[in-house]
Amino acid sequence: MGQADQHHKSALTPRNDEMTLVFPAQPMAVRQALKSSLTGLSHLKLSADERGIVEIVLAEVLNNVVEHGYAHHPGGIVELRIKRCGDMLNFTVLDEGVPLPCGDVPKQPIQTLEGPVEDLPEGGFGWSIITQLTRQMRYVRSDVRNRLDFSIALADTRIG
Amino acid sequence: MELAYIDTAMARVITVNESRIDAAIAISFKDRMRELTDSDANRIVVDMAQVDFIDSSGLGAIVAAMKQVGPTKTFELAGLSGTVQKVFRLTRMDSVFVIHADVASALGGPLADAG
């Protein structure tokens, strides 16, 4: 953390099955981080469905960091660690932005979509999507750092 | 933000020529949709076939685009990819939008014959 440069450091290999990406908290850098993550996972030969789940979850988690954690600190740095453990992908996201409200992952009630079109929500979907697609969500705030750990189960992983 | 449109006898068809509608372009998507849906056409069909991925910001922009159109016109989607469909299902927005398999089925025939 702190001294990260503008480039992604990708190092997931079949040998260690681990990857770390460090990037600035900006929307286009998040786009690139998603692309790098999926490239780094390509040797796992994930199904299209699994790739979609990984990309959706990472997009929501990382956009939250950019839009909320670092809302007033656009030069912030994000670190994403991915490790495969058997049929689980374990993720860790680290940032030094503001803590999550209430000190934990929001437990959102499912939004109502009833009523007229003009009352439909245009946001607030992120944590609902994340919690539906992940397991073992754990948030820790220590000193100035946020750490979010979560896992995605791989149904039918084929190691290439 | 690459959006194109064609007016047929049935509807204004807006084609999203982007592979992603995400946080990086959600605001420009919403603004451009406002320009393109501000027409006399009372039916809008958005062709999403080239969109591989949306995040919740992109979904919010699509909802906003429907709200901008107002209650006197219809706003429909066509050609959602697998990952895009998944985001609609997870947020239950698939129950809110009229979603067609593709533009041809939305218009009841091939686009080339509809105008």
Side-chain angles (χ1 to χ4, degrees), chain B residues 27-38:
Chain B
I27 291 172
S28 59
F29 175 85
K30 182 177 159 181
D31 291 346
R32 185 82 177 111
M33 285 296 279
R34 186 194 300 276
E35 295 171 17
L36 294 187
T37 56
D38 185 18

Side-chain angles (χ1 to χ4, degrees), chain A residues 31 49 60 63 111 120, chain B residues 22 55-56 67 86 92:
Chain A
R31 257 193 192 186
D49 193 54
E60 298 305 329
N63 285 336
Q111 297 189 72
L120 285 175
Chain B
D22 61 9
D55 61 16
S56 63
K67 289 161 79 169
K86 188 183 291 290
R92 296 181 303 126

Side-chain angles (χ1 to χ4, degrees), chain A residues 27-28 31 34 48-49 51-53 55-56 59-60 63 67 110-113 117-126 128-129 132-133, chain B residues 18 20-25 30 52-57 59-61 63-64 66-67 71 83 86-87 89-93 95-97:
Chain A
M28 292 309 285
R31 257 193 192 186
L34 299 180
D49 193 54
R51 284 198 306 275
I53 290 171
E55 187 164 19
I56 291 167
E60 298 305 329
N63 285 336
E67 292 167 17
I110 298 212
Q111 297 189 72
T112 176
L113 302 180
V117 165
E118 60 259 36
D119 291 344
L120 285 175
E122 295 176 30
F125 311 116
S128 162
I129 292 173
Q132 288 179 77
L133 296 178
Chain B
E18 297 276 349
R20 311 171 72 84
I21 307 174
D22 61 9
I25 64 165
K30 182 177 159 181
D52 301 325
F53 181 80
I54 64 168
D55 61 16
S56 63
S57 299
L59 177 67
V63 173
M66 177 165 69
K67 289 161 79 169
T83 301
K86 188 183 291 290
V87 173
R89 273 203 307 276
L90 289 165
T91 56
R92 296 181 303 126
M93 280 293 173
S95 66
V96 170
F97 285 86

